[in-house]
Amino acid sequence: MSYQSVTPGFAPASGTPEQVAFHRTELGVILSLYGRMVAAGEWRDYGISSLREVAVFSVFRRTAENPLYRIEKRPKLRGKQGQYAVIGMDGQILKRGSDLRQVLRVLERKLIRAVE
């Protein structure tokens, strides 16, 4: 009988990840923005999905709604358009790139409001 070592989260034969997930540092950046948006009264809830080809952080105004925004990580696009994307409620890609902080700036602009 032979035993094969298996790394959790990886398919044994191919060595490819079974699921894409956000790293702790990536979640720190996303949750920092999320906290500021909650404090501003813009966002109220979130959900995280880890799938085979994409990890998704969905942002909601109310729990029972469709997400306002989806922050996606697709490692297969790392060398092409960039692995991170912010997608609006209508499915339109608002920003895509390889630097998560830079991509999230499209949402931070919503915090800036004119003071009368």
Side-chain angles (χ1 to χ4, degrees):
M1 215 187 251
S2 67
Y3 294 95
Q4 184 179 16
S5 71
V6 177
T7 305
F10 285 82
S14 66
T16 59
E18 289 180 2
Q19 291 182 331
V20 175
F22 289 105
H23 188 267
R24 180 180 292 161
T25 55
E26 294 167 329
L27 278 176
V29 172
I30 294 169
L31 289 172
S32 174
L33 171 64
Y34 176 79
R36 292 193 307 272
M37 295 299 261
V38 167
E42 296 291 321
W43 297 349
R44 298 237 187 320
D45 200 7
Y46 71 90
I48 300 176
S49 301
S50 294
L51 306 171
R52 185 172 296 271
E53 294 184 11
V54 62
V56 182
F57 187 98
S58 301
V59 177
F60 299 88
R61 184 164 298 171
R62 291 180 197 86
T63 307
E65 291 184 344
N66 290 329
L68 290 174
Y69 302 103
R70 292 189 332 260
I71 301 164
E72 293 188 353
K73 175 183 177 182
R74 293 181 182 267
K76 284 189 176 180
L77 296 178
R78 180 181 294 135
K80 298 176 184 172
Q81 304 158 343
Q83 66 178 339
Y84 303 108
V86 173
I87 302 171
M89 186 186 309
D90 57 357
Q92 181 180 7
I93 297 174
L94 304 177
K95 182 89 172 168
R96 182 184 294 279
S98 56
D99 181 8
L100 180 59
R101 291 180 195 273
Q102 192 73 19
V103 170
L104 292 179
R105 285 190 183 159
V106 72
L107 298 175
E108 288 178 355
R109 282 188 244 155
K110 305 214 180 287
L111 278 174
I112 302 170
R113 295 186 181 153
V115 178
E116 294 181 17

